[in-house]
Amino acid sequence: MTAKFSIIIPDYNNSDLFLNILYGYAKQSYDNDQFEVMLIDNNFNCKNLVNCYHQYKDKFYSSIFFRAKFKSSFSLNLVRNIGVNTANNESTVFSDSGCIISPDFLFDINKSN
């Protein structure tokens, strides 16, 4: 069985790091119609993140969410919860903007289930 994944990636002014992780998802051996990438910014005004999104929006399904900056010490969890509540697929993967993933990342996760 092939799982469909929603990948949730929170961010706070690290748009330069997004290019690395989006590149990794663009190179997945897993079918690109079987996952969505959700970029969620916890600052609301990062225009560089929009540029990252536009560079990869045709490689796989992706969405971008901007939130006003949360003042809570639990802001990372709040941002992740936005992703979970919006996700469209049966499995959720959390990632960070600074991660560099292998081309078989999603394939290996699916195989282990």
Side-chain angles (χ1 to χ4, degrees):
M1 178 179 119
T2 300
K4 289 191 170 190
F5 293 104
S6 292
I7 296 103
I8 299 169
I9 309 171
D11 179 59
Y12 181 80
N13 287 344
N14 286 319
S15 59
D16 293 339
L17 296 176
F18 262 120
L19 290 175
N20 289 332
I21 196 162
L22 293 177
Y23 177 82
Y25 283 110
K27 298 295 183 185
Q28 286 299 293
S29 60
Y30 202 72
D31 291 335
N32 66 352
D33 63 343
Q34 298 296 304
F35 66 92
E36 67 176 334
V37 175
M38 304 169 71
L39 310 174
I40 306 171
D41 184 66
N42 181 26
N43 197 22
F44 194 68
N45 64 0
C46 187
K47 293 181 184 192
N48 289 336
L49 186 60
V50 174
N51 293 335
C52 293
Y53 166 78
H54 283 293
Q55 281 185 286
Y56 285 95
K57 70 178 182 175
D58 297 329
K59 307 284 185 205
F60 45 77
Y61 180 77
S62 58
S63 53
I64 187 168
F65 300 87
F66 290 99
R67 294 291 304 170
K69 183 178 175 184
F70 290 114
K71 297 188 190 276
S72 167
S73 59
F74 298 103
S75 60
L76 185 58
N77 294 332
L78 293 169
V79 171
R80 286 183 178 137
N81 285 337
I82 290 168
V84 168
N85 291 329
T86 311
N88 295 312
N89 293 310
E90 60 193 55
S91 299
T92 303
V93 174
F94 295 100
S95 197
D96 289 321
S97 57
C99 292
I100 298 175
I101 59 171
S102 73
D104 293 327
F105 178 69
L106 293 175
F107 179 80
D108 290 342
I109 291 173
N110 186 62
K111 186 171 64 173
S112 67
N113 288 330

